[in-house]
Amino acid sequence: MNPFSKFNKWFNLAKKEYEYDHTAFALSTCVENKPFVRMVLLKKILNDGYVFFTNLKSDKGKQFLKNNNLAMCFYWPTLDKQVRIVGKGEIIKEIDSDSYFSTRLRGSQIGAWASEQSSNIKNRKYLIS
């Protein structure tokens, strides 16, 4: 079976039967031989790839810009299924990114604009204000 077809079959099964967010996956980047991993959400399935969104100024965005080799791991324990994907990522068209951003709740949009992702917080006073 074609690996994309198999993924779609399992993904749709997870959508129906997995009690948690079936779109969540572990995303790995690697810079200067240091691996980094975090959970993100799959937003779109293409015929030849998968789309997630990130702020390119965040740590993962900066890491991606230095090295576009990525690894993804979906894990659906109640289905006893795991899918690992390895490949090169690419930046989607700005119009597609803007289109996705416009679908987010207004509060989420404002939070994304206001947040300096992955930056250090100066002190407690700055955090509270």
Side-chain angles (χ1 to χ4, degrees):
M1 177 182 274
N2 173 305
F4 288 101
S5 297
K6 188 174 231 178
F7 176 86
N8 287 339
K9 179 181 174 184
W10 288 359
F11 186 81
N12 288 326
L13 181 64
K15 185 177 185 177
K16 291 178 191 170
E17 298 186 24
Y18 186 58
E19 65 181 300
Y20 302 107
D21 190 342
H22 67 289
T23 68
F25 68 94
L27 173 70
S28 296
T29 55
C30 189
V31 176
E32 298 173 5
N33 291 323
K34 294 180 193 169
F36 300 88
V37 67
R38 80 286 285 153
M39 300 302 292
V40 298
L41 301 177
L42 180 68
K43 293 299 182 180
K44 191 172 188 180
I45 299 174
L46 305 174
N47 290 332
D48 61 350
Y50 308 93
V51 178
F52 65 91
F53 293 90
T54 190
N55 180 336
L56 291 175
K57 294 179 182 178
S58 70
D59 282 349
K60 73 178 160 292
K62 291 174 188 174
Q63 292 159 4
F64 170 79
L65 291 173
K66 289 182 181 178
N67 180 356
N68 70 336
N69 291 296
L70 303 173
M72 303 163 62
C73 183
F74 290 85
Y75 179 53
W76 303 297
T78 57
L79 303 178
D80 198 28
K81 303 282 185 213
Q82 172 178 274
V83 177
R84 294 182 305 126
I85 301 166
V86 177
K88 291 196 177 288
E90 57 187 60
I91 297 172
I92 64 170
K93 295 176 185 169
E94 189 173 342
I95 192 167
D96 294 329
S97 179
D98 290 346
S99 177
Y100 162 72
F101 193 79
S102 72
T103 68
R104 293 175 66 177
L105 296 174
R106 185 70 175 151
S108 177
Q109 291 176 351
I110 292 169
W113 284 325
S115 169
E116 294 181 32
Q117 287 186 19
S118 305
S119 63
N120 290 329
I121 296 173
K122 299 173 189 175
N123 53 45
R124 181 174 172 79
K125 182 179 177 184
Y126 176 80
L127 178 64
I128 294 171
S129 61

